[in-house]
Amino acid sequence: MKVVLIQLYSTKKRAEAAMIYFLLFYMIVYMGNAVYGTYIPVYFQSVGATPAQIGTLLSLGPLVAVLAQPLWGAIGDRAKTKNSVLAVLLAGSGLMVMLFPLSDAFYYLLVMVCLFTFFQTSTFAISDAITLEELDKQKSWSFGSIRLGGTIGFAIMSISFGYLAKYDIGTLFPVYAAVMLISLLLLTRFPKVSGYQSAGKKMQVWVLFKNRKLMIYMGINLVLQITLGYYYSFFPIYFRELGADNVLIGWSMVISSLSEIPFLLFADRIMKRVRLTHILLVSGVATALRWFAFSFTENPYWVLPAQLLHGLIFIVLTVTMAMYINREVPKELKASGQTLNGLLSLGVARIIGSFFGGFASEAFGMRNVFFYNAWIAVICTAGIVWLILKEKKAASVQTADKGVYNG
């Protein structure tokens, strides 16, 4: 009996130690997102790309994501371990990014964006699938606390790379590659997470489309993510037009990332006590207010307080959808469910936000496009309110019917 207790205690300690590697992994891998996601539009601008060309470059990647996400999701569900799939994605991203500086020709950059995105786009979806499945076994940690590592890493890299980019924007490529290498080393310390379809019954991804609620929530997420797609593509350029430099861009990203901390600390409790529609409602209102604030200010320093609203938008949409999918989707399709959500939020949404946003920026100006995005968020929020009222009506009818039946 004593031997069994010692073994159980030892196993628990090893599991807790493994979760620390998850925390460190998220901290490092999101540093890469801070470098590439924030500063690649600035790099494109520095090599002479026009707003329409930048929009095209940043939308072609998500177009590849639309094709790559289902592929990597299916591979993840069928692989012997999801870890091996994530390793390929990290290594591929790191190798592809080092090829960017070889030429600044527009069509060369188009090809490089496609190759890079093919690997990079599913990194976070597969990471979330592995983490959430391991957390189902390890109850002492929560997804919010693990994902908090990503927020801290993003904030640290945003400000530190901002100073580096002030002198040489081209350093983003070796820095990103180094981040992927460290992430790959941390991945080797993860417990092995199997693809549930590697042995046993097979399920097709189309099963997900039969889940009506999941599709509605993904649709709401898609609309709000479209406006975020424009933000991620053109905010650095718009911010510079207002008078900000790369260092101030870095600080703005620090503010936005640190604003995520309160939600991440209480994400599990919020998901247990608050309906998903109400969470989405808060995100919709925050999105509208943020874009209105961007469109009305002419002083770059007044943009910084508006960045605090980021903590009610991106992280809320990302974490709640990931947790909802992990909870509601069959285990055989967990990786596919995460990558389908990534396909919509990082693929379709970014295509629309970047591609059409680039041409809209040239036609109407970036300030006006942010204004239009605010109204898109308002319309989406109105739709969420309608959905909440519909749910309440259905619940009241069900209660009344139950009362009649009991009577």
Side-chain angles (χ1 to χ4, degrees), residues 243-254:
D245 60 13
N246 285 339
V247 173
L248 197 58
I249 291 174
W251 277 109
S252 75
M253 292 302 171
V254 169

Side-chain angles (χ1 to χ4, degrees), residues 206-223:
W206 308 114
V207 172
L208 298 174
F209 292 92
K210 297 179 181 180
N211 188 325
R212 183 172 172 272
K213 278 191 175 181
L214 177 63
M215 291 299 103
I216 290 174
Y217 297 151
M218 282 190 174
I220 293 170
N221 183 38
L222 171 64
V223 175

Side-chain angles (χ1 to χ4, degrees), residues 285-315:
V285 171
T287 302
L289 291 175
R290 190 184 188 191
W291 305 149
F292 277 131
F294 277 21
S295 65
F296 290 141
T297 186
E298 295 183 0
N299 187 325
Y301 289 96
W302 282 110
V303 171
L304 300 180
Q307 288 291 73
L308 291 170
L309 290 168
H310 188 80
L312 296 175
I313 308 171
F314 175 75
I315 196 64

Side-chain angles (χ1 to χ4, degrees), residues 70-279:
L71 173 65
W72 288 117
I75 292 173
D77 283 324
R78 288 169 169 77
K80 187 175 180 180
T81 68
K82 293 183 175 73
N83 306 58
S84 60
V85 178
L86 182 55
V88 171
L89 297 176
L90 294 171
S93 300
L95 290 172
M96 290 301 108
V97 81
M98 289 301 294
L99 301 178
F100 270 85
L102 297 182
S103 173
D104 58 10
F106 176 69
Y107 289 105
Y108 175 81
L109 293 175
L110 279 177
V111 173
M112 289 316 307
V113 167
C114 290
L115 292 174
F116 170 77
T117 309
F118 178 75
F119 293 99
Q120 187 265 349
T121 186
S122 297
T123 299
F124 300 110
I126 299 297
S127 299
D128 290 346
I130 293 172
T131 305
L132 285 162
E133 288 186 47
E134 187 61 26
L135 285 170
D136 286 341
K137 308 170 190 174
Q138 175 55 257
K139 301 297 183 181
S140 60
W141 287 70
S142 68
F143 184 62
S145 61
I146 296 293
R147 181 57 181 79
L148 181 59
T151 293
I152 294 171
F154 188 95
I156 292 171
M157 184 57 81
S158 291
I159 187 58
S160 57
F161 189 78
Y163 285 101
L164 190 59
K166 188 175 182 179
Y167 300 101
D168 185 3
I169 189 66
T171 55
L172 76 87
F173 303 114
V175 170
Y176 184 93
V179 166
M180 291 300 103
L181 177 60
I182 298 171
S183 300
L184 191 57
L185 293 174
L186 288 169
L187 176 62
T188 62
R189 308 301 299 175
F190 283 17
K192 301 298 183 184
V193 176
S194 301
Y196 284 106
Q197 295 192 52
S198 60
K201 67 175 183 177
K202 307 295 182 183
M203 292 185 70
Q204 298 298 320
V205 69
W206 308 114
V207 172
L208 298 174
F209 292 92
K210 297 179 181 180
N211 188 325
R212 183 172 172 272
K213 278 191 175 181
L214 177 63
M215 291 299 103
I216 290 174
Y217 297 151
M218 282 190 174
I220 293 170
N221 183 38
L222 171 64
V223 175
L224 296 178
Q225 290 283 0
I226 286 172
T227 68
L228 279 171
Y230 180 78
Y231 163 78
Y232 283 118
S233 296
F234 291 99
F235 170 72
I237 300 171
Y238 177 62
F239 203 29
R240 285 172 65 89
E241 286 187 356
L242 291 178
D245 60 13
N246 285 339
V247 173
L248 197 58
I249 291 174
W251 277 109
S252 75
M253 292 302 171
V254 169
I255 292 171
S256 64
S257 58
L258 292 180
S259 69
E260 298 175 348
I261 293 176
F263 176 79
L264 288 171
L265 290 174
F266 302 101
D268 280 9
R269 296 181 190 178
I270 292 171
M271 282 293 289
K272 290 176 182 177
R273 300 179 183 180
V274 183
R275 295 179 67 87
L276 186 55
T277 45
H278 290 82
I279 296 173

Side-chain angles (χ1 to χ4, degrees), residues 319-332:
V319 172
T320 54
M321 287 303 301
M323 293 175 69
Y324 182 81
I325 289 168
N326 186 66
R327 188 177 69 196
E328 299 294 328
V329 168
K331 65 180 183 179
E332 293 85 0

